[in-house]
Amino acid sequence: MGLRKKRYEEGVAARTGVAPAGRPAVELRGVRRQFGRGQAAVHALRGIDLELARGGFTAVMGPSGSGKSTFLQCAAGLDRPTAGTVHLGGTEITGLSENKLTALRRTRLGFVFQAFNLLPSLTVEQNVVLPMRLAGHRPDRRRAAEVLSQVGLDGLARRRPDQLSGGQQQRVAIARALVTRPDVVFADEPTGALDTTTATEVLGLLRGAVDSLGATVVMVTHDPAAAAWADHVLFLADGAIADSLTGAPAARIADRMTALTASYRTGAAA
């Protein structure tokens, strides 16, 4: 009966876009990702076991080549793991067809990238409601106005991206990520192209989305100052979780990254 109930809940989630209550926002079990075969094989992820609760802000860090980008891609359904399972909001996504996976990403996930990824021919409002259009839903202009207000862009709905600063464009990207009230917002180096002051503003918006809106944010970053905005920091090395910190300041995160990078380089040289 328990298995039947679980399958029923996952079926409802897949049809309606509403995640079952009480489920972790993100759950990975034995996730491996291998590129190539034989001696030339690259093991980007080596058996990740992880649960991330709803309403939290998690930063993912690691040396170059540690697997953090592959982790985000597998967790967000942008890439399929070689082995293991990924659940988002209680729905197992590893076995979904590409069409169902695409529909899930459009309705239950939000994405913020370093390069903003706004369509230059569309207005701010049109960029924000794009996930709704792609999902086949009628654009909700009232919801778009609400999230634009939340990210401090009142009155800019009719402008185009080239009329905005870099920080304002990233705010549009955050509004677009939040417009469908997703289970999880995945952010990949969201402050990498911004100056320090603007980066701080953007991180404050992500932090506010968690604290005020109940969003769940998973952010890949190389910057200890950015990671310090998160509740938890996960450190990856050689495709595995090497360490974690909770509520740590930037200096402590930087020290841990320095030690981890030195250890990683020593192991790679050996």
Side-chain angles (χ1 to χ4, degrees):
M1 183 64 72
L3 179 59
R4 183 177 299 175
K5 181 180 180 182
K6 177 182 177 183
R7 288 175 175 170
Y8 170 77
E9 289 178 341
E10 292 184 353
V12 170
R15 292 192 302 271
T16 66
V18 178
R23 300 283 190 180
V26 182
E27 183 178 1
L28 283 73
R29 294 296 177 206
V31 170
R32 298 178 178 272
R33 184 65 173 100
Q34 177 180 317
F35 298 95
R37 295 182 179 181
Q39 294 183 345
V42 175
H43 300 276
L45 298 178
R46 299 175 179 268
I48 301 292
D49 289 301
L50 177 68
E51 284 188 14
L52 299 179
R54 298 174 186 275
F57 190 167
T58 302
V60 181
M61 303 188 73
S64 179
S66 62
K68 56 185 183 293
S69 293
T70 304
F71 165 84
L72 183 143
Q73 291 166 1
C74 287
L78 298 172
D79 189 14
R80 293 184 185 272
T82 306
T85 60
V86 178
H87 287 74
L88 291 174
T91 300
E92 183 179 346
I93 68 170
T94 36
L96 292 181
S97 68
E98 193 57 41
N99 286 342
K100 289 184 177 180
L101 192 55
T102 298
L104 181 143
R105 287 195 299 261
R106 289 172 177 171
T107 56
R108 293 177 55 187
L109 302 180
F111 296 94
V112 181
F113 299 100
Q114 178 177 336
F116 316 141
N117 289 358
L118 303 179
L119 295 182
S121 62
L122 301 183
T123 66
V124 165
E125 181 187 76
Q126 289 169 339
N127 269 284
V128 169
V129 300
L130 187 59
M132 297 177 177
R133 286 191 178 277
L134 293 175
H137 300 154
R138 183 177 180 180
D140 186 341
R141 298 183 64 184
R142 181 176 297 180
R143 173 62 180 161
E146 179 184 342
V147 292
L148 284 171
S149 177
Q150 289 166 351
V151 300
L153 293 179
D154 282 315
L156 301 182
R158 295 186 179 181
R159 292 195 183 183
R160 298 190 186 277
D162 63 2
Q163 297 175 305
L164 305 176
S165 68
Q168 288 174 324
Q169 290 185 60
Q170 194 61 298
R171 287 170 181 259
V172 176
I174 292 173
R176 180 182 59 192
L178 295 173
V179 73
T180 59
R181 297 182 176 89
D183 291 342
V184 188
V185 173
F186 289 98
D188 189 2
E189 299 283 4
T191 60
L194 305 175
D195 61 75
T196 302
T197 300
T198 307
T200 299
E201 294 173 353
V202 166
L203 290 164
L205 289 173
L206 292 175
R207 180 74 258 177
V210 173
D211 295 340
S212 301
L213 306 178
T216 303
V217 175
V218 180
M219 175 181 71
V220 167
T221 182
H222 70 281
D223 184 1
W229 287 80
D231 303 308
H232 310 287
V233 183
L234 297 177
F235 297 92
L236 297 185
D238 197 24
I241 298 175
D243 200 358
S244 64
L245 292 173
T246 299
R252 187 179 175 195
I253 295 170
D255 288 344
R256 188 67 191 95
M257 265 300 299
T258 299
L260 189 63
T261 302
S263 175
Y264 179 75
R265 287 175 177 170
T266 300

